[in-house]
Amino acid sequence: MPEDRPAPGREARGGRLPVVDPATGEAFAEAPDQSPQELDAVVERARAAWFGWRSDPPARTAALLAAADAVEAARDDLAPLLTREQGKPLAESRAEVARTAARMRYFAALEPGPVPVADGRPVRSELRWRPLGPVAAIVPWNFPLQLASAKFAPALAAGNTVVLKPSPYTPLATRLLASVLSAALPEGVLTVVTGREPLGARLAAHPGIRHVTFTGSAPTGRAVAAGAAATLARVTLELGGNDAALLLDDVDVERIADRLFWAAFRNCGQVCMAVKRVYAPARRYAEVVEALAERAKSAVVGAGLDPRSQLGPLNNAPQLARVEACTARALADGARAAAGGHRLDRPGYFFAPTVLADVPSGSPVVADEQFGPVLPVLPYTGLDDAVAAANATGFGLGGSVWGTDLDRAEAVAGRLECGTAWINHHAELSLAQPFAGTKESGVGVAGGPWGLYGNLQPFVLHRPLEAEAAPEAGGTAWH
Ligand code: NAD
């Protein structure tokens, strides 16, 4: 395990932040709890570094590609540290590191070229793209590296510099990542700050920041937007979800059960776009509950560093308490635990993979985002009722429809109020695809070229075709 030692000259003047291994519940390392003065200095360095970073696109591309190579080369240091602080199985941490490097390569290769915007006047009008300035990236604890890269890779590729704040629950792998990247990136281009609140709030409202890109819960997203309102910095928010999986009556349950189960339970259910509710036709209900419960009972739960583990612990004590409370409430409301229903009697934040049947629809495990290894399965009789129930949430991140008749499934998927809908799978996206929540699931677009443009300012240049040509000759000249 690499020792968590800050780079010389970067020691915190503030306190220290203990980091807990969720597989034991014990603190095993510390990170700096950085002060407001340190934050100011980091933002100032990001501003100073911006002028060089934005001005040489070929050098930027080369640096990002070299940085991606460095991340891949450090996979055997990054992945175990990520598992130790986050809890996920080591194979998933390794995949997360690989995806981080792949994302850097993807964005390094994107070039936002000029776009002609001629309007018929004797003027050459061209839309060009300019970087925004220092970007604040604030991320949660469920995919610390992957979600960080979803922010810093497009921001850096666009020519901005980045101040990255991980969750206080998972600062270590992000700090190590920054030190790996520093071999390829100029000083100040990407800096990690760590600490307790109000560090994130200060960063979101910092006058030196021009774009705040945040992933986390909806209540914190609102606070971030309010903070950024003070400076009118651009805001991108990727927030929570309460994705429904809607099974049609022609679904082949045995064929889809593994995929559906892991779409809900991967990373211990701590995935924004996990399946968080299943709607099954009443006449197939028992079969669906049984298939999912069987898989929940046989899933291997254990420490992420144990290669046999398929599911690790929850990441932190408040999250365990939240999952425990919403499960207990569902059981008190009359639900039946077809599998699990309780925390595991061992140290650490382990909760038994849980499938709940007969849950009243108003119960918090259905109405809110449980963000844990607990899946409510609800019966329906009319398809319109099922679509209405799937849409009866303030969230609008993802959704899926499962059935054999693909045309019918597509027609139903088109009625889901969300940013992404899948048929017969869920929560899979490639780097080139856009990802945008509707309703309270977000503002702005991540992924693909849209993620890059979210980090750029349009700049339009109008130039007459000849020096003496009068631009106003062609028509109106106001907006
Ligand atoms: P959170 O909102 O509590 O924290 C997210 C980040 O914001 C952390 O770094 C935290 O320290 C920081 N923060 C806390 N208060 C802040 C404030 N006032 N101002 C600025 N920053 C502040 O979320 P979490 O519990 O870490 O993560 C779980 C949530 O994230 C879930 O709701 C999940 O659905 C969501 N999430 C969304 C996506 C997505 O892409 N839509 C992806 C992953 C997770």
Side-chain angles (χ1 to χ4, degrees), residues 138-143 147 165-169 195-204 214-221 223-224 237-241 270-273 276 316 319 322 369 371 395 397 435 441:
I138 302 176
V139 296
W141 43 258
N142 57 339
F143 290 91
L147 293 175
K165 196 202 81 65
S167 165
Y169 292 111
R196 302 178 172 85
E197 277 316 300
L199 185 70
R202 283 188 207 281
L203 177 58
F214 169 84
T215 297
S217 62
T220 312
V224 164
L237 304 173
E238 293 171 46
L239 307 177
Q270 301 163 122
V271 180
C272 55
M273 52 175 162
K276 296 193 176 119
N316 56 71
Q319 192 58 28
R322 173 179 159 170
E369 184 189 29
F371 220 61
F395 291 116
L397 199 56
F435 180 51
S441 285

Side-chain angles (χ1 to χ4, degrees), residues 46-58:
R47 173 152 290 277
W50 181 45
F51 298 102
W53 183 248
R54 74 179 179 187
S55 59
D56 189 350

Side-chain angles (χ1 to χ4, degrees), residues 149-297:
S149 71
K151 306 203 166 300
F152 74 71
L156 293 180
N160 305 293
T161 53
V162 173
V163 179
L164 168 61
K165 196 202 81 65
S167 165
Y169 292 111
T170 52
L172 301 178
T174 312
R175 275 171 58 76
L176 179 58
L177 177 77
S179 113
V180 168
L181 294 175
S182 68
L185 301 181
E187 156 77 18
V189 162
L190 173 79
T191 310
V192 171
V193 291
T194 57
R196 302 178 172 85
E197 277 316 300
L199 185 70
R202 283 188 207 281
L203 177 58
H206 201 289
I209 293 295
R210 294 314 309 144
H211 177 200
V212 184
T213 171
F214 169 84
T215 297
S217 62
T220 312
R222 283 191 193 91
V224 164
T231 63
L232 290 178
R234 184 178 298 182
V235 175
T236 302
L237 304 173
E238 293 171 46
L239 307 177
N242 192 5
D243 291 12
L246 205 163
L247 276 51
L248 301 179
D249 52 12
D250 65 350
V251 69
D252 183 338
V253 174
E254 259 322 294
R255 198 156 174 192
I256 59 117
D258 279 337
R259 237 175 303 145
L260 179 59
F261 177 79
W262 286 110
F265 286 85
R266 187 169 71 93
N267 202 23
C268 217
Q270 301 163 122
V271 180
C272 55
M273 52 175 162
V275 168
K276 296 193 176 119
R277 303 170 282 155
V278 172
Y279 291 90
R283 67 181 186 82
R284 312 289 306 274
Y285 185 66
E287 189 190 347
V288 172
V289 170
E290 168 88 27
L292 291 169
E294 216 174 82
R295 282 155 180 85
K297 287 175 191 163

